[in-house]
Amino acid sequence: MFWMRKAACQVGEWRVERARWRADMERYKAARRAARKSGGRIPEPENPGPPPTGFSLLPWLLMGLGSFSNLLQGRTPLPWIGAVGLLTFNSLYIYVTFRAFTKKTRDARSTRVALAVMGAVTCALAIVYGGSWLYFFPLLGLATGAVMRGPWLGRTGLSLTALAAAVSAVREGWDALNVAYGTFLSTMVTAAILSLTEAVRELRAAREELARRAVEEERLRFSRDLHDLLGHTLSVIVVKSEAARRLAPRDMDAALLQITDIESVGRQALTEIREAVTGYRQGSLATELDRADSVLTAADVTPVIHRSGPPLSPAAEALLGWVVREAVTNVVRHSIATRCEITVEGTTGEGTGERVRLCVADNGTGPKQAPTGSTRPGVGGTGLRGLTERLAAAGGSLEAGPTPGGGFLLTAELPPQSQEPQEPPSSQLNAHIRPTLTP
């Protein structure tokens, strides 16, 4: 009963493949209709075609009709041996070819053993009967080409061709050339066509997977940029609104100045969001340092800003500008600090070459000042994690954590001429991410 269960499983796999092919065809037809309605603006998709199965190789069994006809007409001596041999060959051919379209079953030992037995049966029938029975060699070549794909195909195909030529030469003389040529051609062409079909399907699946991952990475990038934009801007608006509320009862001019700043920040936020949506947003370290000075002053935090070192590339300016923005936002939101020092300077280290270092230190005692022992890799809020990934992809690094004397220190290092990185895979980022803390 074991073979019945395996047959039922095989039938179930065929049904699943056929259902998948029908779904692919429905998508193909829908995309083709959309392409035709668009008037050529959308290119027509590729026809996926039916999935390859063993049924595509079954019609070649008709090459054995000559031997079957000889059995029916009584032209074959010892017909019961021929009948058993014909039944055995056909059964093995069907078994091998249907297992050749799944890599797991194709590489199984049982498939290779069945192919070897099939070769022995073919040789025995060809030597005993000759004539039309020699055409089982091309059928053996079809099964061999379907199973033996890869580096051993050439050796196997040549060995099988030589065997077919030797056996045919013993029985038919010069007619062995036709049998040998047919065996070699059927082996190589079958292997080439099936390998190409499998490669096309794998490439189509890989292309779909890459498209899906590209969409996911773009969504992640956009959500991270939106967080960086709105998180900082809304914090500035809240801080300046609180300052205007405190100043309004005693100094209306100062309150109006804060309200004017709120309006300016709001307009600038709209501009940045539009640039982020269109993908042309650029950052400036000098602009972010000026904003940091204004925001910290409005939040009653004394800013101390120092900048020195080599000129930076636009990409490095943009990356460090994001670091300043995120760090100042965290100081205003969480630190309860009275002083914040921002330092940008050039450094030179052994083996690392020239680098630019940005340090943001405060003397706050707020909720973000977690115990030093809690620092561990991968910890950090959304903003710090995003900055860590960006700096790592550009060849830099980011460290953040509480200082022994109280306060919080964020340090970012970056090559001064770094370029804007592509979105890096997570496997490449893990090697660069340093410990961060949730701000």
Side-chain angles (χ1 to χ4, degrees), residues 284-297 305 324 342:
S284 170
L285 180 58
T287 302
E288 294 300 335
L289 290 175
D290 292 339
R291 289 182 183 176
D293 183 84
S294 175
V295 172
L296 292 171
T297 302
I305 300 175
V324 171
I342 303 175

Side-chain angles (χ1 to χ4, degrees), residues 240 244 247 251-263:
K240 288 188 172 291
L247 293 171
D251 191 347
M252 183 57 67
D253 292 337
L256 290 175
L257 181 61
Q258 295 295 331
I259 293 174
T260 302
D261 288 344
I262 292 173
E263 180 183 2

Side-chain angles (χ1 to χ4, degrees), residues 245-322:
R245 177 176 54 80
R246 292 196 306 268
L247 293 171
R250 61 177 186 272
D251 191 347
M252 183 57 67
D253 292 337
L256 290 175
L257 181 61
Q258 295 295 331
I259 293 174
T260 302
D261 288 344
I262 292 173
E263 180 183 2
S264 176
V265 170
R267 292 183 183 277
Q268 182 64 28
L270 288 175
T271 301
E272 290 180 344
I273 289 176
R274 292 191 186 102
E275 291 176 351
V277 171
T278 55
Y280 295 106
R281 175 170 46 83
Q282 292 292 335
S284 170
L285 180 58
T287 302
E288 294 300 335
L289 290 175
D290 292 339
R291 289 182 183 176
D293 183 84
S294 175
V295 172
L296 292 171
T297 302
D300 293 330
V301 179
T302 302
V304 181
I305 300 175
H306 304 284
R307 180 174 183 181
S308 61
L312 307 178
S313 66
E317 287 255 345
L319 288 171
L320 293 181
W322 283 117

